Amino acid sequence: MLTIPGGASGSISGSNLCVYVFLFQQYLINNPYTMNLLESDEILKRNDKITSFVLVNPDQVDDDDVDIFVVKSPGLSPFTRHNETKASSLDEPAETSQDANSGSKPSATIRSMTQLCDTCYNALNYFGYHADLHKTTGKEAMEGLPPACLLHNGAKTLQDGEDARCHLCIFLMANLRVKRLAMESIDESNIEMCWQSGPAPNRLHFALTHRGHPRAAKNYWNILKLQIWPFSEFDKALFGMTEGKGMERHPTTESEQTRDNALEWLKRCQTNEDGKHNQCNNTASRDWLPTRLLDVKSAIETSMVKLVTPLDTPRDFEQEREYITLSHCWGEWGASQLPVLTTGNIAERLREGVSISLLPKTFADAIKAASWFKVRWLWIDSLCILQDSKEDWQRESIMMYDVYKNALLNISADDSPDGRFGCFRNRDPLAVFPMYISFNGQESWKCWLTPDTHGVFDSITKSSLAKRGWVFQERQLSRRVLHFTSHELMWECCAEAPYFASETFPGGTPFKSVFNGNPKFQTRTKLNVAPDTSPELYKAWNTIYKEYSGKIFSHVQDRLVALSGLAQEFEAALPDDTYLAGIWRSTLPQSLLWQSSGDSSPVGSTGSYIAPTWSWLSIAGPVSPSALDYSGSTYSLVDIVDATTTPVFPAKPTASLKDASITMRCFMRPVEVRPDYEKKPWYMLAMGGGKTHKLSIKEEDGTEAFCVSNFHSDAFDFSFDIEWDEDMENGPDVVAGYFVPLIMRKPTEYESLCIGGLLVEPVGDGPKATYKRIGLLTVYGSHCQRVKYMATHSDKDEAEQKWDHLLKCLRATHESSEKLKDDKEEDSSECESCAEKEDSEERVLTEKLESLKVGESDEDRAQIDLGSIDATERLYALDGVVGSELQSMFEKLSLKEIKLI
């Protein structure tokens, strides 16, 4: 039994792996009230079963739960007090020295420029001790010392820490508010702090583990990561502190300092001193103005917001032409409560205006923010487009490209689910103030702590506004965006490198990835490029539509028109190409091979035409583009005869459509896919088995020729685009249709032949065969031959025997080089054995089939240049010259002309 000063005791039994320890700090040793307490490393030395430190209060200790616990006497953790919202200089905490020859154990004490609660102080001190020990004694000494500790046991200590102005607790609470997590859930969980073990970890991770479940990978949710910025590499300038300029943060984003930051960001972008903001300042239509605008100057002076039409009052725009736009969420409330512009009130809005007091808070805040920039005009969709006029909406909606492209900047109300919540936010200033700490151990080091890239950008990318389809285009088209988030303002523009600035990082940061990997496309792609770099534009387009496809629309029929502005942007950069309902003509047929996710389905019946089934815009939900292959290893198998769209507005072919179709000459094979939805035990996956999906390859009359299973091999892949009944738990048991091969990839050293195409089904009884897309199908290896050829014999046993011979003869056309090499010796020995057993008739058949071989090496295959062969001849080009004997036993698919709608 070990008795610890403070009235607590516990046995050193080593039976429990989770040990509750009140971590002891080096600075407390010299405190007269705690002279007899053990040092951290002494605790570990006495009990090697300790795997984690859990910080508890003396009155929370349960003797049955612990092996050992150390209780410190009451009192505050020491910290260097500074103004928590303003630092005019970095008065670094005084460092203590330690004699390296004293023989004392490694330990660390932290000093913080801002306040820390006991719990967070102790956790950070242990982190410093852990890193210091790793630096000074090496990895071997770390065995049994976990790079983790419990931080908060529920919500109360976290909230108490925030109330007590603990900087780390404020970081955590700000992050939880972004995620909109209920404190009831936090109260049922532990918050752990962990890091990658090593001498110089670059992040601190904070995770929730629910106390009602075992601590395991599935019960470990990372909620925040703090980036560690070593002071030796990143000085105070990273956070906007320079000579003669302090580091200030204010308790509201409506402050003058916030305004000054925004003005500085715009100035930096417009002056373009580093030459990276050319796209931000490129306005080909500088004289263009929207149909209607709101008068900001009048609103500030009179509290009445007047509507102005530039065509009717051109003098008002002679000197002041710049305007700002607003991106906001309507929400359910806004759909019925917003004071929208209508045919009934437009005359009054033009003559007298509407009182600011009658506008929702988001609109009023946007007017104030616009006034920061001395810009007179503001554009808000619901106040500048007649909401009860279909004709006006159609005319204005197709001008969104010009509206956002030509605006000075866009105000983005990211944290407002509807107009009632406003743009500005009250906040704790420490939420955007870097935490400075120093560790004094065997080796002293200093660093800054801030949220990492996800912690910074989740307030934008995970916001309600970011989920909206229209807003996606607004952000991408705007030259500059000023984001109003839950706790700070952020700046985004079209600078060549991924560029941003925020109140935490007024000058930006060296983050390798910004906006969670989805910055404005202009930062990744130059639109004024040479023709030979157009593949980069197509890849950029694929990235855009992958993200766009998952966005939400109140009206699904807006899916095309809400993307039309971006399509116009790319259309200008691709003058020799044609836009076809979300796809580019020159990328056919590869671009037809997009794949819908399991949660996606056709848009369904809306009463109006939206998009053809071959376009990803016909799907409501996320889709994945087909990777466009420019390496020369993917070949088209179809001849695109015609591809047309009929737009609602002929002058805007990228917007809404009346009709669209693609006519092609292609091959078709009847097939039937039977999915396997049954859940399989883990050991089946471990043995190479899994889902037993089946592909039935049929003859023209509908009878089954083969049934292929992919239980133990990758024989085929598929996905469906069809809707199924709600009473179906997983999906349809059988999907029947036609397989249309679109592309082929030649075998390589490690990959077999691949043929990918569409699953289609017939539609109507018109003069031309018309089909609609219902899914995707990709076939691999020898199964490609099963699709390409049909046996002429009705006897299944005889046909299968001849199939075996055919596949052996043609294996060089579908097997990988590695597979051919591995099978060579085995095939040689089998052939010798078979030759003795085969009768004369079989040997004659074998010789005839062998004579049709095209070789068994990469060199033989490389001699066939598929690129110089007509697309509809490539499917059989690798199989050599088909003689009369092969013709009599197997038939090729016939070429057909079909229309996809």
Side-chain angles (χ1 to χ4, degrees):
M1 181 72 69
L2 174 67
T3 302
I4 307 298
S9 63
S11 62
I12 311 179
S13 63
S15 58
N16 296 328
L17 290 181
C18 185
V19 182
Y20 287 77
V21 176
F22 226 120
L23 185 63
F24 177 70
Q25 292 79 40
Q26 179 69 27
Y27 82 92
L28 284 174
I29 293 178
N30 297 321
N31 188 307
Y33 294 100
T34 57
M35 281 293 293
N36 296 324
L37 293 185
L38 298 177
E39 296 183 32
S40 301
D41 56 329
E42 187 68 17
I43 296 171
L44 295 173
K45 182 178 178 181
R46 295 193 183 195
N47 192 339
D48 60 3
K49 295 295 183 182
I50 293 178
T51 60
S52 65
F53 287 96
V54 179
L55 313 178
V56 298
N57 290 322
D59 57 355
Q60 295 176 331
V61 173
D62 185 341
D63 290 359
D64 297 331
D65 291 340
V66 301
D67 292 324
I68 183 171
F69 39 83
V70 179
V71 183
K72 76 175 183 64
S73 58
L76 290 175
S77 303
F79 52 85
T80 303
R81 289 186 179 274
H82 284 255
N83 184 323
E84 291 154 338
T85 62
K86 181 175 182 179
S88 59
S89 64
L90 284 182
D91 300 329
E92 299 171 14
E95 299 180 15
T96 60
S97 62
Q98 183 171 348
D99 186 354
N101 299 317
S102 64
S104 59
K105 300 289 184 180
S107 59
T109 302
I110 68 163
R111 301 293 180 95
S112 173
M113 189 172 71
T114 48
Q115 185 166 336
L116 293 170
C117 67
D118 283 354
T119 300
C120 292
Y121 182 92
N122 293 335
L124 287 171
N125 198 66
Y126 172 58
F127 162 66
Y129 167 80
H130 190 280
D132 188 63
L133 189 65
H134 199 292
K135 281 183 178 181
T136 56
T137 61
K139 185 177 180 181
E140 294 74 16
M142 308 305 295
E143 186 175 353
L145 188 62
C149 63
L150 180 70
L151 188 64
H152 288 286
N153 185 9
K156 186 177 186 307
T157 58
L158 176 61
Q159 290 174 310
D160 289 346
E162 183 186 35
D163 293 341
R165 312 291 294 120
C166 170
H167 202 159
L168 186 53
C169 290
I170 289 168
F171 273 160
L172 286 164
M173 287 296 292
N175 182 266
L176 293 173
R177 291 188 180 101
V178 169
K179 291 179 169 56
R180 288 181 165 80
L181 290 178
M183 293 312 294
E184 291 80 4
S185 300
I186 307 301
D187 206 36
E188 298 171 352
S189 305
N190 292 333
I191 300 179
E192 296 187 12
M193 185 178 85
C194 57
W195 54 93
Q196 185 175 1
S197 184
N202 60 3
R203 285 185 183 86
L204 285 176
H205 299 247
F206 299 84
L208 289 180
T209 60
H210 195 282
R211 291 195 297 274
H213 302 280
R215 185 180 179 278
K218 292 183 179 179
N219 184 23
Y220 208 81
W221 180 28
N222 272 289
I223 56 171
L224 174 65
K225 298 176 186 176
L226 291 184
Q227 187 79 31
I228 299 173
W229 306 93
F231 192 78
S232 59
E233 300 176 36
F234 302 96
D235 63 16
K236 55 192 178 183
L238 179 64
F239 309 101
M241 188 173 181
T242 59
E243 293 299 329
K245 181 181 179 182
M247 186 161 42
E248 293 186 52
R249 306 292 187 267
H250 288 264
T252 174
T253 58
E254 200 173 1
S255 69
E256 292 182 3
Q257 189 222 12
T258 301
R259 177 204 63 194
D260 292 344
N261 277 333
L263 291 173
E264 178 62 28
W265 297 332
L266 176 61
K267 179 182 177 182
R268 185 188 308 164
C269 181
Q270 288 181 318
T271 55
N272 192 19
E273 291 181 358
D274 57 6
K276 294 182 178 180
H277 298 265
N278 293 333
Q279 292 192 81
C280 310
N281 296 289
N282 180 21
T283 50
S285 304
R286 190 175 295 274
D287 292 333
W288 189 93
L289 288 170
T291 305
R292 307 176 188 98
L293 287 164
L294 304 171
D295 192 335
V296 173
K297 182 179 178 181
S298 172
I300 297 297
E301 293 174 351
T302 68
S303 296
M304 296 295 291
V305 184
K306 290 186 65 176
L307 186 69
V308 181
T309 54
L311 286 178
D312 295 331
T313 58
R315 287 188 178 181
D316 291 339
F317 295 88
E318 289 179 355
Q319 301 297 324
E320 300 172 298
R321 301 187 66 84
E322 296 278 20
Y323 67 93
I324 288 173
T325 56
L326 172 69
S327 290
H328 68 101
C329 268
W330 284 53
E332 293 184 8
W333 176 86
S336 60
Q337 300 297 320
L338 279 180
V340 298
L341 183 68
T342 66
T343 53
N345 63 25
I346 185 172
E348 181 184 2
R349 298 279 177 93
L350 288 167
R351 183 177 62 255
E352 299 176 5
V354 58
S355 172
I356 289 183
S357 63
L358 298 178
L359 296 181
K361 193 173 187 305
T362 298
F363 292 4
D365 286 353
I367 290 171
K368 180 170 184 178
S371 71
W372 287 355
F373 301 95
K374 308 299 181 185
V375 171
R376 183 174 178 181
W377 311 111
L378 175 66
W379 189 92
I380 301 177
D381 54 1
S382 57
L383 301 184
C384 295
I385 301 176
L386 292 170
Q387 299 298 311
D388 60 349
S389 169
K390 182 178 179 181
E391 293 76 15
D392 192 67
W393 186 89
Q394 288 180 333
R395 181 172 57 252
E396 294 294 319
S397 65
I398 61 177
M399 291 195 297
M400 292 301 99
Y401 169 78
D402 295 300
V403 169
Y404 287 93
K405 184 71 175 176
N406 290 293
L408 176 69
L409 63 85
N410 173 248
I411 293 171
S412 182
D414 295 89
D415 193 48
S416 300
D418 63 49
R420 294 172 293 178
F421 292 83
C423 297
F424 301 117
R425 290 289 180 270
N426 294 326
R427 61 169 180 213
D428 193 305
L430 289 179
V432 290
F433 196 88
M435 182 190 297
Y436 172 85
I437 54 177
S438 65
F439 295 90
N440 303 318
Q442 290 285 82
E443 292 188 10
S444 297
W445 54 288
K446 311 161 194 173
C447 68
W448 305 93
L449 294 178
T450 69
D452 79 334
T453 179
H454 289 286
V456 169
F457 295 109
D458 278 356
S459 58
I460 294 176
T461 61
K462 301 294 179 65
S463 68
S464 300
L465 190 68
K467 299 174 183 177
R468 308 303 303 181
W470 275 103
V471 173
F472 176 83
Q473 176 177 250
E474 293 165 11
R475 175 191 165 213
Q476 295 291 342
L477 288 176
S478 298
R479 293 178 289 154
R480 309 174 184 95
V481 184
L482 186 60
H483 294 276
F484 286 75
T485 74
S486 58
H487 57 280
E488 68 177 327
L489 264 64
M490 292 191 196
W491 176 270
E492 181 182 17
C493 64
C494 303
E496 291 177 15
Y499 181 84
F500 92 103
S502 70
E503 293 184 79
T504 304
F505 304 101
T509 72
F511 283 139
K512 293 181 180 179
S513 174
V514 297
F515 297 97
N516 293 342
N518 292 303
K520 286 166 59 60
F521 77 91
Q522 297 95 334
T523 67
R524 296 167 291 182
T525 307
K526 296 181 181 180
L527 293 182
N528 53 340
V529 294
D532 58 348
T533 59
S534 57
E536 294 302 319
L537 293 179
Y538 295 124
K539 290 178 182 178
W541 177 257
N542 281 4
T543 300
I544 284 174
Y545 91 63
K546 180 180 180 179
E547 188 177 356
Y548 178 82
S549 65
K551 302 303 180 184
I552 299 172
F553 289 88
S554 299
H555 306 285
V556 72
Q557 58 267 30
D558 292 350
R559 287 176 62 80
L560 265 81
V561 69
L563 186 67
S564 63
L566 279 169
Q568 284 180 256
E569 186 93 326
F570 276 75
E571 209 173 30
L574 297 165
D576 298 327
D577 212 340
T578 303
Y579 180 76
L580 302 168
I583 290 171
W584 296 95
R585 175 71 166 77
S586 68
T587 63
L588 297 175
Q590 283 192 62
S591 52
L592 295 176
L593 297 174
W594 50 265
Q595 182 174 349
S596 57
S597 72
D599 298 330
S600 303
S601 61
V603 292
S605 177
T606 63
S608 59
Y609 185 83
I610 295 178
T613 61
W614 46 263
S615 167
W616 58 270
L617 285 163
S618 67
I619 299 296
V623 300
S624 297
S626 171
L628 299 177
D629 181 10
Y630 292 96
S631 67
S633 60
T634 300
Y635 300 91
S636 170
L637 300 175
V638 298
D639 177 21
I640 305 296
V641 177
D642 190 28
T644 60
T645 60
T646 306
V648 173
F649 304 100
K652 295 289 183 181
T654 61
S656 302
L657 298 176
K658 294 180 181 178
D659 189 26
S661 65
I662 293 177
T663 301
M664 64 174 67
R665 295 173 64 242
C666 58
F667 299 100
M668 303 180 74
R669 184 74 188 259
V671 295
E672 193 174 87
V673 180
R674 302 169 194 153
D676 176 15
Y677 300 110
E678 183 182 352
K679 292 184 178 179
K680 300 296 191 296
W682 66 269
Y683 59 81
M684 293 184 68
L685 297 174
M687 293 186 298
K691 299 290 187 180
T692 314
H693 304 302
K694 293 183 178 180
L695 172 64
S696 175
I697 302 172
K698 296 182 175 296
E699 306 290 1
E700 289 292 346
D701 60 4
T703 60
E704 184 174 273
F706 301 100
C707 186
V708 178
S709 170
N710 65 351
F711 181 70
H712 284 293
S713 64
D714 295 327
F716 64 94
D717 293 322
F718 67 93
S719 68
F720 299 143
D721 306 327
I722 59 178
E723 288 186 286
W724 49 76
D725 298 333
E726 293 183 0
D727 56 352
M728 291 184 182
E729 183 177 354
N730 297 295
D733 295 329
V734 177
V735 173
Y738 290 88
F739 175 46
V740 180
L742 294 184
I743 60 100
M744 179 173 71
R745 295 190 181 97
K746 292 169 63 175
T748 63
E749 184 176 0
Y750 298 106
E751 295 180 354
S752 60
L753 180 69
C754 167
I755 296 178
L758 302 181
L759 286 172
V760 301
E761 67 178 12
V763 178
D765 300 318
K768 182 176 288 188
T770 304
Y771 296 83
K772 69 175 184 179
R773 169 180 160 145
I774 59 173
L776 279 185
L777 179 63
T778 305
V779 186
Y780 303 96
S782 63
H783 303 293
C784 295
Q785 311 294 8
R786 301 277 193 180
V787 170
K788 290 162 54 178
Y789 290 100
M790 295 181 289
T792 58
H793 292 267
S794 58
D795 186 286
K796 284 193 173 183
D797 292 335
E798 182 180 2
E800 190 60 35
Q801 190 178 38
K802 293 174 181 178
W803 264 109
D804 289 341
H805 284 290
L806 179 65
L807 294 180
K808 285 184 179 180
C809 293
L810 298 180
R811 64 181 177 178
T813 71
H814 59 255
E815 296 287 10
S816 66
S817 301
E818 191 71 16
K819 184 70 164 57
L820 290 174
K821 190 185 303 181
D822 292 342
D823 292 345
K824 190 171 184 180
E825 287 188 11
E826 183 180 348
D827 289 347
S828 298
S829 60
E830 286 181 0
C831 286
E832 291 177 5
S833 176
C834 290
E836 297 175 0
K837 296 178 181 179
E838 286 178 338
D839 56 27
S840 59
E841 181 180 348
E842 286 297 321
R843 283 200 300 272
V844 170
L845 176 61
T846 301
E847 291 172 359
K848 290 180 177 179
L849 290 171
E850 289 284 344
S851 67
L852 299 172
K853 293 167 70 174
V854 296
E856 296 186 353
S857 68
D858 278 338
E859 289 76 11
D860 294 320
R861 290 195 296 232
Q863 292 176 2
I864 302 175
D865 182 11
L866 292 179
S868 63
I869 301 173
D870 186 78
T872 55
E873 297 178 0
R874 293 169 183 159
L875 186 64
Y876 297 95
L878 297 177
D879 298 352
V881 180
V882 179
S884 59
E885 293 294 336
L886 184 57
Q887 288 277 15
S888 65
M889 291 177 285
F890 298 96
E891 290 181 356
K892 297 180 180 179
L893 300 178
S894 58
L895 200 59
K896 298 181 179 180
E897 185 172 303
I898 67 169
K899 181 180 182 181
L900 286 177
I901 61 172

